[in-house]
Every structure is written in C-alpha cells, then in structure tokens.
Amino acid sequence: MVGRAFGSGNVARVREVRIQDEAERAEQPLRRRSPQAAARPARGRSLRRIVGLVLLLPALALGFLLAMALVYSAVTPPSTLMLGRWAVLKPVDRQSVALAAISPHLVQAVIASEDQRFCLHAGVDWGALRDVVDDEEGPSRGASTISMQTVKNVFLWPGRSVLRKGLEIPLALATDALWGKRRMLEVYLNVAEWGEGVFGAETAAQRWFGKPARDLTRGEAALLAAVLPNPILRNPALPSRGVRAQAARIQARMNGVGGLMGCLKR
C-alpha cells in the first residue's frame, strides 16, 4: 500500500513538473522580446493610420469643394484671387450680372478665344489634353477648357502643378454636370480678371469702355477677350499692336462659333 501511495505521489509530481515546464516554455518568447520589438507593432499601426489619413485628405477636400459647387450653383462665388486680395486688404471691384445682361458679342469672343469646343465637351476636352501630353512642347501650350479655368479660379490656386491639375479635372467634370453650360459661362464671366483688381465682365466694360456689359460692341468684346491671358499687362482700352492683332483673329473666329452655342440657350 505504501508503494502504491508512493507511486501515485511520484506520478503527481511528474505531472506538476511537466505543467510547470510547459508554462515556462510559453513564457519564454515573451521574456525574450525587447522593448523595441514590442514597440514595432504600435509603430506599424501608427504608420498605417498616417498613410490612411494622407490618402483620405484629397477625397475629403474634393467632397468639400463639390459641396461648395452645389452652393455656387445659385450664388455667384468670389474667385480665389479676389479672396487673396481681400486677405491683404487690397481693393476688389466686381459687379455680378446674369449672362443675359452680358453682350452676346463678348460671349462669342470668349468662346472663340478660350474654348471653341465649349458646347461639345463635358468639362474636359480630352482630345486637346492628349495632344498636349503627346507634344514635346506640351508644357508651353494650354488645354484648359472654360470649365477647367472656372473651377481653377473659384476653388483652386494659380500656377501649374500636378496636384492642382489632379483636382481641376474631376472638379471640372462634376461642376460642368452640376451647373450646366449656361451657369458655367456665367460664373466664368463674373470671376475672370480684366485688370488690377478688376473682376467680371460688367466691371471690365464699365472700367475700360464706360458702358454696361450688355452694350459692348463686337470690336470691344474681341479686345476684352484678347487680354484675358494676361490682363495685368494688357489694356483693352489702349491695346498694343499685339493685342489688336489677337483681337482681329478672335473676330474672325467668332463667325465660326455662332452655330456651336446651342448649349447656352435656356
């Protein structure tokens, strides 16, 4: 009986030793881990969060801009250049008017000068954009439509960058669909810069020709369109030889765009 009891005790001790050994082996990997190794998963999670936020920010910015575009479908917006001038206490002269209060000559001249396919594309002229990308002189040439210029003026910043163009293209597509062509051109003609602190067709007509925008002649409209690429250095009231030549070319092109303006009808 003593032998049997002794044998049972030994078995129990062996089992206890085995359990302790297994527990120690399970604890060994935890003991070997350094503080640096323990911190690696936390750093990895933080890095993933940062990358996620970086990828999320453009989507949030685009969503915010589209919400503003919805507001601006009914309210004439300021341009970012106007906001910049206000921020540094510089004067801004702008009188907003409806498209119906702007001379059809100016509408034709701007389309002839800036975007002859305005009524044919959905905000982005992909053919012109491909031509610029394929052309070795692409950076010196433009493929911006009136829709792209409008969203740049209203939502984005001047200058060239891949980031700005990456925002400009989807914004132009979305805003063109949201506003429609008539509203798009109306906003463009009310935010375009026509001189130092001079914004919008109505203010430009009053400043340079002493008349409302609805009364602009064909020649005056072509001169205003001719100075749009560089309105600070070009004066439509005192045009240089180059501006007069450009205005003459615009007048010649105006005859060809009249039949392509059906998208502007109510």
Side-chain angles (χ1 to χ4, degrees):
M1 182 181 297
V2 174
R4 286 197 299 272
F6 180 79
S8 300
N10 285 339
V11 171
R13 287 194 201 94
V14 169
R15 288 176 179 172
E16 184 178 350
V17 169
R18 286 177 179 173
I19 292 171
Q20 290 176 350
D21 289 344
E22 290 174 358
E24 288 178 358
R25 282 196 297 271
E27 290 177 359
Q28 280 177 0
L30 296 176
R31 291 172 183 169
R32 292 194 195 104
R33 291 176 67 186
S34 66
Q36 292 82 2
R40 286 193 196 108
R43 285 200 299 269
R45 286 192 296 271
S46 298
L47 183 59
R48 284 194 295 272
R49 289 194 192 99
I50 293 171
V51 172
L53 286 173
V54 169
L55 295 176
L56 184 62
L57 284 175
L60 291 175
L62 193 58
F64 172 77
L65 293 176
L66 288 175
M68 293 303 297
L70 186 60
V71 173
Y72 290 156
S73 64
V75 178
T76 300
S79 69
T80 51
L81 286 177
M82 294 168 64
L83 294 175
R85 290 183 67 85
W86 281 326
V88 296
L89 304 179
K90 289 185 177 180
V92 169
D93 192 1
R94 197 273 293 269
Q95 301 175 54
S96 299
V97 294
L99 190 63
I102 298 175
S103 168
H105 295 311
L106 183 59
V107 173
Q108 281 189 339
V110 167
I111 290 177
S113 174
E114 301 291 300
D115 185 3
Q116 296 181 47
R117 290 175 52 82
F118 178 65
C119 285
L120 304 179
H121 60 67
V124 177
D125 189 343
W126 296 109
L129 203 59
R130 280 193 295 270
D131 289 343
V132 168
V133 171
D134 294 339
D135 196 325
E136 292 181 357
E137 297 181 357
S140 65
R141 299 172 53 221
S144 289
T145 63
I146 286 175
S147 302
M148 293 167 70
Q149 292 180 58
T150 303
V151 298
K152 180 198 72 174
N153 290 343
V154 172
F155 300 111
L156 304 174
W157 59 92
R160 295 182 178 182
S161 71
V162 174
L163 175 60
R164 199 207 72 189
K165 190 62 69 175
L167 291 171
E168 185 179 303
I169 290 175
L171 269 175
L173 293 169
T175 309
D176 195 272
L178 180 64
W179 289 356
K181 295 295 186 179
R182 186 176 179 86
R183 177 59 177 168
M184 181 67 72
L185 189 62
E186 184 176 82
V187 171
Y188 178 70
L189 291 175
N190 276 292
V191 299
E193 187 178 24
W194 263 295
E196 183 70 31
V198 178
F199 295 90
E202 181 66 20
T203 305
Q206 296 281 2
R207 172 70 64 88
W208 301 121
F209 300 111
K211 61 175 65 176
R214 69 169 70 248
D215 294 335
L216 289 168
T217 66
R218 183 181 177 90
E220 291 165 346
L223 285 169
L224 284 174
V227 305
L228 274 175
N230 198 339
I232 302 301
L233 298 180
R234 299 178 181 178
N235 186 331
L238 297 171
S240 65
R241 182 180 299 177
V243 169
R244 288 197 299 269
Q246 178 63 11
R249 287 191 289 270
I250 291 171
Q251 285 200 64
R253 289 199 293 264
M254 287 168 66
N255 297 324
V257 300
L260 300 176
M261 295 170 56
C263 65
L264 300 179
K265 295 179 180 178
R266 290 188 181 277

